[in-house]
Amino acid sequence: MILVLLGPPGAGKGTQAKGLEDRHALVQLSTGDMLRAAVAAGTDLGRKAGDIMDRGELVPDELVIGLIAERMDADGGPKGFILDGFPRTIGQAEALDRLLGERNKTVDRVIVIAVDDDALVARIIGRFTCAGCGEGYHDVFKKPKVADVCDRCGGSEFTRRPDDTEEVVRARLKAYYAQTEPLIGYYEQQGKVASVDGMADIETVEKEIDEALKGV
Ligand code: AP5
């Protein structure tokens, strides 16, 4: 199965992708995580992408398309993958269709996670992530069961993203509405979209997504 998670920053794409990995044996491919790894490693790509990400703008299509093409073959997983944060422009969606077509595959389902802007800002500002396994948490909405210990891997080191400030989140939202939201229409024309209410709690959203994947 090839599943695209589409939604604004903070909608819960990463949170839901991790749950889907566990429940459906799919592999999460997150362009945001790949780009952050490139920045941390100081690669050529990381140097090109870092300042753009800090401003909350989108990294040029050719850079992320190259990244996803590479990882799709290396890390796609036997049962398929979840695309989290890709595609984000019509150009990326067209490139994805091409890349999958060359491999006799197609996007099976696009899950749109809808959340109000004010809730998004609150979610992002309170977010932190396990440095060991990438599991996402929130100061209020999703605390680890034992304080300072990751539920998933038992790690005790957590990080916060430099682009998770209110100012940068507003810029990321602007980029989402201008460049990414039009993808909903693109995939609706292909009859692949299922929308879920991302304002609900995490478990309810999980159930709605699983319902939308029945028969895929
Ligand atoms: P990226 O890393 O993809 O960030 P994003 O799209 O802005 O999304 P987030 O990771 O912030 O949010 P999310 O939807 O995953 O929410 P989460 O599950 O963490 O991209 C970062 C940057 O990289 C971009 O700005 C761009 O510069 C660049 N980039 C990446 N991909 C690119 C591409 N394809 N093209 C060009 N540039 C690209 O949840 C947020 C918080 O809310 C968490 O704390 C979580 O615990 C909590 N939460 C989740 N669900 C719920 C719920 N239902 N109720 C209450 N709390 C919840």
Side-chain angles (χ1 to χ4, degrees), residues 50-71:
D51 289 344
I52 301 172
M53 294 169 77
D54 287 346
R55 291 196 300 272
E57 295 166 9
L58 293 187
V59 172
D61 281 356
E62 63 274 15
L63 298 183
V64 273
I65 291 166
L67 202 53
I68 210 84
E70 223 173 82
R71 294 291 287 272

Side-chain angles (χ1 to χ4, degrees), residues 10 13-15 31 36 57 85 88 92 127 137 161 172 200:
K13 303 180 296 294
T15 303
T31 42
R36 279 184 288 280
E57 295 166 9
R88 249 175 156 102
Q92 291 179 21
R127 169 169 58 187
Y137 294 97
R161 280 169 43 179
R172 284 158 60 194

Side-chain angles (χ1 to χ4, degrees), residues 98-109:
R98 253 192 330 272
L99 287 169
L100 290 173
E102 286 160 11
R103 291 158 178 79
N104 292 318
K105 290 180 179 165
T106 186
V107 169
D108 295 295
R109 182 70 87 224

Side-chain angles (χ1 to χ4, degrees):
M1 182 190 339
I2 294 164
L3 174 63
V4 171
L5 295 183
L6 198 59
K13 303 180 296 294
T15 303
Q16 293 300 330
K18 290 271 180 268
L20 283 159
E21 280 194 314
D22 294 343
R23 298 195 305 283
H24 296 272
L26 297 168
V27 172
Q28 174 195 23
L29 296 182
S30 157
T31 42
D33 287 348
M34 294 175 203
L35 289 166
R36 279 184 288 280
V39 172
T43 63
D44 193 32
L45 169 64
R47 278 190 294 279
K48 285 182 188 145
D51 289 344
I52 301 172
M53 294 169 77
D54 287 346
R55 291 196 300 272
E57 295 166 9
L58 293 187
V59 172
D61 281 356
E62 63 274 15
L63 298 183
V64 273
I65 291 166
L67 202 53
I68 210 84
E70 223 173 82
R71 294 291 287 272
M72 197 182 274
D73 293 328
D75 299 330
K79 295 210 172 159
F81 47 88
I82 309 153
L83 291 166
D84 161 11
F86 181 91
R88 249 175 156 102
T89 63
I90 296 287
Q92 291 179 21
E94 289 171 346
L96 175 63
D97 284 346
R98 253 192 330 272
L99 287 169
L100 290 173
E102 286 160 11
R103 291 158 178 79
N104 292 318
K105 290 180 179 165
T106 186
V107 169
D108 295 295
R109 182 70 87 224
V110 177
I111 304 283
V112 177
I113 309 179
V115 178
D116 298 348
D117 282 6
D118 287 343
L120 295 171
V121 174
R123 282 186 190 183
I124 285 184
I125 288 171
R127 169 169 58 187
F128 57 100
T129 304
C130 172
C133 70
E135 182 74 2
Y137 294 97
H138 191 277
D139 292 329
V140 178
F141 308 127
K142 190 187 167 197
K143 299 179 189 180
K145 291 189 182 94
V146 176
D148 302 326
V149 179
C150 176
D151 298 345
R152 202 170 194 224
C153 74
S156 57
E157 206 183 310
F158 296 90
T159 56
R160 290 186 189 252
R161 280 169 43 179
D163 61 343
D164 278 355
T165 62
E166 177 156 0
E167 191 193 348
V168 180
V169 172
R170 299 273 176 208
R172 284 158 60 194
L173 279 171
K174 207 168 150 195
Y176 173 78
Y177 289 118
Q179 291 164 278
T180 307
E181 200 181 45
L183 289 180
I184 299 173
Y186 178 88
Y187 285 118
E188 270 172 352
Q189 279 177 1
Q190 299 182 13
K192 292 179 174 169
V193 172
S195 293
V196 300
D197 175 14
M199 293 295 287
D201 60 63
I202 293 170
E203 292 73 25
T204 306
V205 179
E206 281 176 1
K207 284 187 193 130
E208 261 198 74
I209 292 179
D210 282 350
E211 199 55 42
L213 295 181
K214 279 191 181 150
V216 174

